[in-house]
Amino acid sequence: MNEQKSVENAINAFYKVAGLNIKFNGSINNKVAEIFGKMIIETQKCTTALNWVPRPTGGKATISWVAKNFTRSVLRQLEEGQSLICAKTAVLRFKSPLHLAAMGV
């Protein structure tokens, strides 16, 4: 599986873990990876479930960083109650910017 598909799968899995019935099907680019990284960092601030995921070097998430660090084990960590609320909040906050980034805006 290529890195872009891994990023798309990670975003959709994150939506699912957050309990939201939405699907990301936009283009994967560096801006999308950057915004998804912000969603992860926002969730980290709210819950300890993602604390072991390393921060992106240089401050911005890249496609490679997401593909490497956002795995099924991360999703399992998010399945607890507080983490679910944190993930849902991050998804709702960044949903529009993520879709705009996918359109190249």
Side-chain angles (χ1 to χ4, degrees), residues 20 23 28 89 92:
L20 299 170
K23 185 156 178 100
I28 301 297
T89 301
L92 295 176

Side-chain angles (χ1 to χ4, degrees), residues 25-39:
N25 54 11
S27 298
I28 301 297
N29 56 46
N30 283 328
K31 187 69 175 175
V32 168
E34 179 183 337
I35 292 172
F36 184 58
K38 288 178 182 179
M39 288 171 56

Side-chain angles (χ1 to χ4, degrees), residues 4 13-15 23-24 29 33-34 36 38-39 44 47 52 62 66 68-69 72 85 87 91 95 99 105:
Q4 282 81 9
F14 195 84
Y15 285 172
K23 185 156 178 100
F24 179 84
N29 56 46
E34 179 183 337
F36 184 58
K38 288 178 182 179
M39 288 171 56
Q44 282 177 321
T47 181
W52 65 273
T62 63
V66 173
K68 179 181 177 186
N69 291 293
R72 292 184 194 279
I85 293 165
V91 167
K95 182 180 175 194
H99 285 283
V105 179

